[in-house]
Amino acid sequence: MAAAPSTSIHGPSAPPANMFDTVPGYEGTIAGGGGGYLPPLSVPVPVPEQAPSSPNWHIPCISEDQARDFFATYVSSKCCYSSDPVKEGVITNMESFNTYRYRLETFMESRSTEWSQKPYTGQPVDAGVQPAPGPWQIAAQPPAFFQEHKQTIKVPYTSSVKNCHVCLGMGRNPCTTCAGAGNKVCWVCNGSGYRQSDDRCMHCNGRGRENCSSCSGSGTRQCDTCHGKRQLLVFINLIVKWYDDLHDKHLSQASSGLRVENLGKVSGKELFKDAQYMVYPVRGFPDVFVGQASERLVRDHQVKYAQTSLILQQRQMIELIPITKVNYMWNVKPYVYYVYGNEFKVNADDYPATCCCSVM
């Protein structure tokens, strides 16, 4: 009887390269994946569409009363802020700044392949019956747009039967607990056969060794790879992934003085939204930097994913984030706070009446 490979004592070894047949169209497929994504079928470049008419994108500044109310709500939420600047402060000037946020999302499908295996229990074997369909010729059911999903599909006409490479077709491997010996040193007497006195060890009947409980003394265990079937069904799996690219965005902001990171916490008024198979860069927008960002990001997405993924849908959106800069005087000194976003959040980094609170 041929001995099982020594590597199986420490765990299954990788399948040898010659274990897998050459399948036309799948030459780069390897076991366990990692062969890279398959280039999609070529797609036409979209034809530019006429830019939509531009509405009035200006949003007027909030009123002084509204500014005070939002400021008061903000201050009341701070346990260490005195309300005196809210009650006594005098607004001297209010400026509105229109900040535009452009977003581009791309929903894609990618395909990769890997050799897979399972114990052979009489499943159909179809390798060579007819040519296997190409990776992008196999039908898959995509989810709704912009919902991530993964599907694994067995590629037809790639299944064949091979002897298990781990147990060499024996169905069993050396026991890892006893290294194939079938027994091990008695844990009671440490192999001496006697207890601390001259009494014979009753656990091992004085032999100094005991049968391995993991393999019942046989020295071998059922192969974990083929489950004792001795043969494996090997085939190619197609892994189809649908995913949404991280939202690329561009912020076109006038110099209001408000930190950019604050704007990531608020929403804006939707001015423009376009969703189609492949979008075309925004044209005719009053802020030239938004148009430039749209052109750059649309081009980058189409170039970035052309070799690895199939673009199924894109959508782009422009939001206007209103920012109002409020200048006010309190105790003969000038101060500033900002009201911004649809949520009318307030930022007042230089609030003049704070105290230190301590918890006893």
Side-chain angles (χ1 to χ4, degrees):
M1 179 180 295
S6 59
T7 54
S8 62
I9 292 180
H10 305 288
S13 59
N18 60 6
M19 178 176 176
F20 305 113
D21 300 328
T22 299
V23 180
Y26 295 86
E27 289 81 357
T29 304
I30 61 176
Y37 291 105
L38 303 168
L41 304 175
S42 59
V43 293
V45 177
V47 178
E49 293 186 358
Q50 185 177 359
S53 58
S54 300
N56 178 15
W57 282 312
H58 177 72
I59 293 182
C61 181
I62 59 176
S63 68
E64 286 193 10
D65 288 341
Q66 288 176 311
R68 288 193 187 93
D69 289 343
F70 298 139
F71 195 31
T73 301
Y74 167 77
V75 171
S76 65
S77 68
K78 306 290 186 179
C79 66
C80 297
Y81 281 22
S82 167
S83 60
D84 289 347
V86 177
K87 298 175 182 177
E88 303 168 3
V90 177
I91 295 177
T92 58
N93 184 38
M94 294 175 59
E95 301 174 80
S96 62
F97 298 86
N98 288 343
T99 297
Y100 302 106
R101 180 163 56 199
Y102 172 81
R103 298 176 186 265
L104 174 65
E105 300 175 65
T106 299
F107 183 65
M108 295 159 289
E109 176 182 324
S110 67
R111 298 192 173 199
S112 60
T113 57
E114 65 179 12
W115 277 105
S116 299
Q117 61 194 31
K118 62 173 61 176
Y120 178 63
T121 57
Q123 303 97 317
V125 177
D126 57 10
V129 174
Q130 67 181 65
W136 287 95
Q137 295 175 329
I138 298 175
Q141 182 61 46
F145 288 145
F146 301 99
Q147 290 188 8
E148 294 191 356
H149 186 59
K150 178 180 177 180
Q151 185 177 357
T152 300
I153 304 172
K154 183 179 176 182
V155 178
Y157 309 113
T158 62
S159 299
S160 61
V161 176
K162 307 290 183 181
N163 282 339
C164 178
H165 62 284
V166 176
C167 64
L168 300 183
M170 299 298 175
R172 302 187 69 83
N173 285 317
C175 175
T176 57
T177 303
C178 64
N183 56 67
K184 54 186 179 178
V185 174
C186 175
W187 67 272
V188 176
C189 65
N190 290 326
S192 68
Y194 294 91
R195 305 294 294 274
Q196 291 182 350
S197 60
D198 292 335
D199 296 334
R200 186 175 65 173
C201 176
M202 300 302 295
H203 184 75
C204 64
N205 291 323
R207 294 188 301 136
R209 303 187 68 84
E210 58 179 322
N211 283 347
C212 176
S213 58
S214 296
C215 63
S216 302
S218 67
T220 62
R221 298 185 63 182
Q222 177 178 286
C223 177
D224 291 332
T225 302
C226 67
H227 296 178
K229 302 301 182 182
R230 302 187 178 189
Q231 292 181 311
L232 297 172
L233 182 74
V234 296
F235 52 92
I236 295 177
N237 265 337
L238 175 68
I239 296 91
V240 186
K241 293 181 180 179
W242 294 273
Y243 61 102
D244 179 9
D245 179 71
L246 295 177
H247 302 179
D248 275 335
K249 58 187 177 183
H250 169 80
L251 201 64
S252 181
Q253 179 187 13
S255 300
S256 65
L258 181 66
R259 294 195 305 271
V260 173
E261 53 265 29
N262 288 320
L263 301 180
K265 306 172 185 177
V266 296
S267 61
K269 176 185 176 181
E270 184 178 297
L271 302 179
F272 171 77
K273 189 173 184 179
D274 177 30
Q276 52 184 306
Y277 155 56
M278 293 178 78
V279 299
Y280 194 78
V282 174
R283 296 288 174 87
F285 195 76
D287 189 315
V288 64
F289 297 107
V290 172
Q292 292 174 353
S294 173
E295 186 170 352
R296 173 177 55 83
L297 292 175
V298 168
R299 180 181 64 250
D300 289 350
H301 274 221
Q302 294 176 1
V303 171
K304 179 179 179 181
Y305 301 111
Q307 299 301 317
T308 60
S309 305
L310 178 65
I311 295 177
L312 300 180
Q313 185 82 353
Q314 289 185 309
R315 63 186 178 191
Q316 56 185 346
M317 180 175 64
I318 300 175
E319 291 177 289
L320 187 149
I321 305 176
I323 301 175
T324 301
K325 181 179 181 180
V326 183
N327 298 274
Y328 70 101
M329 298 287 294
W330 183 70
N331 281 353
V332 201
K333 291 184 179 180
Y335 298 97
V336 173
Y337 66 88
Y338 298 88
V339 181
Y340 59 100
N342 282 347
E343 298 81 1
F344 300 109
K345 282 185 173 291
V346 173
N347 175 267
D349 288 339
D350 64 344
Y351 192 74
T354 62
C355 64
C356 296
C357 298
S358 60
V359 179
M360 302 300 293

